[in-house]
Amino acid sequence: MAYRKTAACLGLAVVLSASAAFAQEQATPFDMSGERGPAVEKPTAIEEEKPATQTPATETPLAETPLTQTDEPEKKAATADPAARRYIIPAETLLLEGEMASRSFPVFLTKEQAAGADAISIGYSNAVVVAPEASKFTVVINDVPVKEMPVQSPEGTTDIRLALPPGLLRPGVNRVTFSVAQRHRTDCTIQSTYDLWTAVDPARTFLTLPAEKGGALLTTDDIAAVGLGPTGRTKFRMVVPEMGQPAATNALMRLSQGLALMAKMPNQTFEVVNALPEKAEAGELTVLVGAAGDLSPLLPALPASAQTAAFATFVDAPGGRKVFVVSGPNWPSIEGAVEGVVSPVDRPLGVTREALSVRQRNAAEMPLVTGEAALTFSSLGVPTSEFSGRRFLTGFDIGIPSDFYADAYGEATLMLDAAYSSEVLPGSHIDIYVNGNIASTVPITNSGGGIFRHLPIRVTMRHFRPGPNRIDVETILRTQADAVCAPGASALPEPRFALFDTSELRMPRFARMAQLPNLDALSGTGFPYNGLTDPVALYLDRLDGDTLSAGATFLGKVAVASGRVLQIRPEASALAIGERNAILVGTISQLPPLVLAQTHIAGESASSWGAAGGGQQRATQDAFNEWQSRVRTGSWRGQITAFEEWLHSTFDISFSSLRLLPGPEQEILPDASAGFLVAQGDSPEQTGAWTVLAAPTGDALRTGMDSLAQDNRWQQLGGYASLESKDGKELLDVRPVNRARFVTTQPWTFSNMRLVAANWLSSNILAYAVAFCGLSILLGIATSALLNRFGRGS
């Protein structure tokens, strides 16, 4: 009997050992380095939640939101109709990084869509070093908490479906916010906070609508609900059967601006074709433009009224979908229909704006600061926050006018209301960033805690630019507890730092003087075309799909930046433009030499750019640069170069600033890696501004403009020229302006001219030194003369 028991025990041990070995072989090793990227996939999981009670965020803390667990977390995801999805994130990727991060996005819904949306789907993953028991992922819609859940998807993307309570979504703009509070599993250092991230997949994050209401746009006002595609892009596909007619160009370009202002999406592009596509994907709107006789073969359901009068509305198209049609008996009537579409969203020239309409970035209007102002953090959308981690980061956006001229001397002041606990050690500091560049640092030197009441922090304005500007406040907190890093110390809830919404940003009165060329102002506010009373001359080298698409996309971006629809007058010849303000679009070989010369583009680029020998040209230039560096090494030229680098790194002074007068702009000779460029220059008599969009081929012209139209690329536009690479992955090659022409935009006042002179002299320090010495000599001569005349003799 004992023998049988022993044998049974041995057999059971063998089975358990084999099972454990098999499980160990099948298990996925756990990487604790935190370097695993967000692209790792695993079997999709869906977590379904019942509708939450709609409670204001101020009544119930998010930490008390109950978390429900699903009984079947690994069931297969149901495939939803893409047309019934309203994607939320206007980007290809979204990373929420650090210990605390939040992003808000607007979603415009029609009345039917708001009533029918019943759930939100979210796909996310996170770094393996994120501690799920101490990290939270929160979803808030229209200031109502929908769900707070642990951050626990380190193995790949997890899909979560959250049911929405009735009445939560509303017609018009809805604000969707994703927030994370993340803590490290084992590390308490400042550096470890940079390993924390949660990646939200835009293609798997969307509102679910009933299939019959998902893409239904019924009126012109519904165009704002065109939405996004799975990659965060919006496309208007404009079907123009007679696109080659010159009469169609003005109506097409003006309509594209109106549609862009209606949608105001960050990554919207236009594609001009002559055939009706079979279907439209999410984030796409098909627009038919043409005479009724030309559109009738494409649209059997085209109303008969389009044959006699201007017509602009949605019409049933083959395949059971809706398309927007702008038609009439002839092109003059079509232009009247376009005006009916555009006029409700156009801003008259006499009406100034107080905010930049860029709600696609933060779901809110951005205040436009035109001079001396004091803005509280509460008005800028920064709430009072308490923080228990190591690296606190928050920020806000403001708008700067196109004639901003204070980048060499101006300073803003941040009046900080904050507090830190007694455990925060000296050596901690508060950093202020402007557009990603550090502008000021304030060290925390006292121990034992403290409260800042309107602590003044001077912020240099050298990194401000016309248009939208991002200001970030980052606080680095060092404590003795983090140096010890006991188990569980990274997740302690006791707050160490507090930032109060009574803090203020105080902007000084700054100089108002516009400059040309200035692509920064073009991308930010649409300058110099945003306030013109005369039409802008538009030259397209050919009326084909590629050139019209590039022109429509560019004008759509400029219209959104300007906040109004530009008046356009197409020109058949570039030489007929004269001294007017103009936009010229075409392949480099078709642009006249005069246009290339005025916009600082080398004449030989018309034949060399995109040619088969371009690679040899690049190799020759690289070899020349290499030999130049060899010759300079060890010589007096090399020593001067080293001295210039030391001068720039130590005192932020370059030899280019040590000049009496600015030098001319260097000519642009695009190499083989460049696929598209935007350049700006003066007209021959320097009374107008010419902006050129050029590429080696028509296809490169359209694809290059589509790439530049993405919001992250558009905000890089600057200088007198910007070159886009062929793959669109590298930073834009921006050529800074040396010699700018001043353009008066404000009434002449002594105080403004004094500020203009102060900024110019700060940019040209050698001229300032010469003027100072000259005035000192004149003062000495005058003093000597007065003493000789009235002084006491020796």
Side-chain angles (χ1 to χ4, degrees):
M1 194 68 178
Y3 172 79
R4 291 182 180 178
K5 291 182 178 180
T6 302
C9 292
L10 290 175
L12 179 60
V14 170
V15 172
L16 291 176
S17 177
S19 301
F22 177 79
Q24 185 175 2
E25 292 177 0
Q26 297 300 317
T28 303
F30 214 63
D31 182 10
M32 295 298 293
S33 65
E35 298 179 355
R36 180 177 296 175
V40 180
E41 294 291 338
K42 74 168 186 178
T44 302
I46 287 190
E47 180 180 344
E48 297 193 13
E49 294 292 338
K50 297 180 180 179
T53 302
Q54 184 171 339
T55 306
T58 57
E59 295 182 3
T60 303
L62 293 181
E64 297 179 4
T65 304
L67 304 180
T68 59
Q69 298 296 331
T70 174
D71 294 331
E72 300 181 38
E74 296 296 332
K75 64 183 180 180
K76 185 178 179 181
T79 302
D81 182 7
R85 297 177 176 178
R86 286 305 313 274
Y87 293 96
I88 299 172
I89 302 172
E92 295 183 0
T93 59
L94 174 62
L95 274 180
L96 302 175
E97 300 177 278
E99 293 181 302
M100 180 180 177
S102 178
R103 290 291 304 275
S104 298
F105 304 99
V107 180
F108 191 98
L109 299 176
T110 65
K111 182 178 179 180
E112 293 77 13
Q113 291 172 348
D118 57 359
I120 180 173
S121 296
I122 304 168
Y124 82 98
S125 60
N126 59 267
V128 296
V129 296
V130 175
E133 67 278 2
S135 303
K136 303 297 180 184
F137 183 12
T138 307
V139 181
V140 178
I141 298 180
N142 293 334
D143 297 328
V144 177
V146 175
K147 178 67 176 176
E148 183 183 80
M149 50 197 167
V151 180
Q152 51 182 3
S153 184
E155 294 298 316
T157 304
T158 297
D159 291 323
I160 298 174
R161 178 184 172 91
L162 306 176
L164 301 179
L168 178 61
L169 298 173
R170 57 194 179 215
V173 178
N174 296 266
R175 182 185 177 98
V176 181
T177 302
F178 301 116
S179 302
V180 293
Q182 304 175 124
R183 295 295 182 266
H184 202 282
R185 288 178 180 270
T186 58
D187 203 340
C188 303
T189 62
I190 302 296
Q191 184 61 37
S192 68
T193 63
Y194 294 93
D195 297 331
L196 303 174
W197 54 260
T198 294
V200 183
D201 189 349
R204 300 160 82 158
T205 303
F206 50 84
L207 295 172
T208 303
L209 306 175
E212 65 275 8
K213 299 180 180 180
L217 305 181
L218 305 177
T219 66
T220 304
D221 295 335
D222 294 345
I223 293 177
V226 61
L228 304 164
T231 59
R233 302 191 178 192
T234 302
K235 176 180 286 187
F236 292 94
R237 185 173 281 113
M238 309 186 76
V239 182
V240 188
E242 299 296 326
M243 70 173 67
Q245 294 188 15
T249 303
N250 185 58
L252 191 62
M253 296 297 121
R254 191 160 175 81
L255 178 61
S256 64
Q257 297 181 73
L259 294 174
L261 280 174
M262 290 179 184
K264 291 182 181 177
M265 303 307 293
N267 307 315
Q268 54 193 10
T269 59
F270 290 82
E271 182 182 11
V272 181
V273 296
N274 55 14
L276 186 67
E278 295 182 0
K279 61 179 181 178
E281 302 294 339
E284 295 183 0
L285 178 63
T286 302
V287 182
L288 277 74
V289 184
D294 298 329
L295 299 183
S296 296
L298 302 178
L299 289 177
L302 184 67
S305 59
Q307 301 284 347
T308 58
F311 182 84
T313 189
F314 282 91
V315 175
D316 293 325
R321 56 196 172 101
K322 294 280 188 180
V323 296
F324 189 67
V325 178
V326 180
S327 183
N330 49 44
W331 281 105
S333 64
I334 294 174
E335 290 185 358
V338 169
E339 288 302 316
V341 175
V342 169
S343 57
V345 295
D346 194 10
R347 178 171 58 92
L349 286 175
V351 178
T352 59
R353 53 179 174 172
E354 297 181 354
L356 297 183
S357 185
V358 287
R359 65 186 184 202
Q360 68 273 6
R361 293 186 178 185
N362 55 7
E365 300 293 328
M366 182 184 304
L368 181 62
V369 182
T370 58
E372 188 174 6
L375 304 171
T376 63
F377 276 24
S378 59
S379 65
L380 295 169
V382 181
T384 296
S385 302
E386 293 184 335
F387 182 65
S388 61
R390 290 134 205 87
R391 185 169 61 96
F392 173 82
L393 180 64
T394 188
F396 54 88
D397 299 294
I398 63 171
I400 298 295
S402 55
D403 56 358
F404 169 78
Y405 188 61
D407 58 332
Y409 81 99
E411 285 185 340
T413 304
L414 197 65
M415 309 300 292
L416 193 68
D417 286 345
Y420 61 96
S421 67
S422 58
E423 61 179 327
V424 176
L425 299 176
S428 303
H429 50 92
I430 302 172
D431 301 326
I432 310 299
Y433 292 85
V434 177
N435 294 325
N437 302 291
I438 189 163
S440 184
T441 298
V442 176
I444 296 177
T445 57
N446 296 329
S447 59
I451 296 179
F452 299 132
R453 294 292 298 173
H454 269 40
L455 173 70
I457 303 177
R458 297 186 180 277
V459 180
T460 175
M461 298 176 68
R462 62 176 301 180
H463 300 299
F464 283 87
R465 52 172 285 168
N469 290 263
R470 178 71 179 180
I471 300 176
D472 290 306
V473 180
E474 183 182 64
T475 305
I476 303 299
L477 303 170
R478 304 181 184 276
T479 65
Q480 184 61 36
D482 290 340
V484 176
C485 198
S490 62
L492 293 177
E494 187 68 23
R496 301 173 173 176
F497 179 79
L499 178 68
F500 304 106
D501 61 5
T502 54
S503 302
E504 291 183 358
L505 173 68
R506 294 184 178 178
M507 294 289 290
R509 186 178 67 229
F510 50 80
R512 302 285 301 275
M513 180 67 71
Q515 305 171 80
L516 285 174
N518 192 349
L519 292 179
D520 298 84
L522 176 67
S523 65
T525 61
F527 182 82
Y529 309 112
N530 55 352
L532 298 179
T533 56
D534 297 329
V536 179
L538 175 66
Y539 170 72
L540 305 174
D541 73 335
R542 56 170 60 93
L543 300 181
D544 60 0
D546 291 333
T547 308
L548 289 170
S549 298
T553 300
F554 179 76
L555 288 174
K557 296 294 293 186
V558 175
V560 173
S562 305
R564 62 163 48 103
V565 178
L566 308 183
Q567 294 287 344
I568 297 296
R569 179 177 295 171
E571 295 290 347
S573 172
L575 300 179
I577 294 175
E579 291 299 311
R580 291 177 293 165
N581 293 279
I583 298 172
L584 304 99
V585 184
T587 55
I588 191 71
S589 60
Q590 298 298 317
L591 296 175
L594 174 63
V595 173
L596 300 181
Q598 291 302 123
T599 53
H600 316 289
I601 302 175
E604 55 265 32
S605 61
S607 57
S608 63
W609 191 15
Q616 179 62 34
Q617 178 184 355
R618 175 74 177 273
T620 302
Q621 183 64 34
D622 292 342
F624 178 81
N625 294 336
E626 182 180 353
W627 273 100
Q628 191 176 39
S629 63
R630 288 180 181 178
V631 171
R632 287 183 175 179
T633 301
S635 64
W636 63 272
R637 291 182 178 180
Q639 296 175 4
I640 292 177
T641 302
F643 175 72
E644 181 181 9
E645 293 176 354
W646 174 83
L647 198 65
H648 184 270
S649 60
T650 306
F651 301 104
D652 197 19
I653 297 177
S654 62
F655 283 176
S656 60
S657 63
L658 300 176
R659 62 185 187 275
L660 286 175
L661 294 175
E665 316 294 355
Q666 293 185 352
E667 286 193 334
I668 307 164
L669 185 61
D671 57 23
S673 63
F676 176 79
L677 70 81
V678 180
Q680 191 174 81
D682 290 325
S683 61
E685 298 297 328
Q686 295 187 348
T687 58
W690 290 1
T691 302
V692 169
L693 282 68
T697 63
D699 181 68
L701 185 68
R702 177 181 55 81
T703 57
M705 187 61 235
D706 285 352
S707 177
L708 185 65
Q710 309 312 304
D711 188 60
N712 62 332
R713 313 291 293 175
W714 182 257
Q715 295 306 316
Q716 297 176 25
L717 198 64
Y720 71 92
S722 297
L723 285 75
E724 173 72 287
S725 60
K726 289 182 178 179
D727 56 9
K729 296 180 180 180
E730 301 177 6
L731 294 177
L732 293 185
D733 181 7
V734 176
R735 309 294 174 88
V737 178
N738 290 329
R739 179 182 296 174
R741 172 170 63 93
F742 290 120
V743 179
T744 303
T745 59
Q746 304 294 317
W748 192 95
T749 61
F750 176 78
S751 60
N752 186 56
M753 295 308 298
R754 179 183 65 83
L755 296 174
V756 170
N759 195 78
W760 190 89
L761 291 173
S762 299
S763 301
N764 301 271
I765 57 177
L766 187 58
Y768 173 79
V770 171
F772 180 79
C773 293
L775 291 175
S776 299
I777 293 173
L778 290 177
L779 178 62
I781 294 174
T783 303
S784 177
L786 288 173
L787 290 176
N788 290 334
R789 183 176 181 86
F790 301 106
R792 178 181 300 176
S794 57

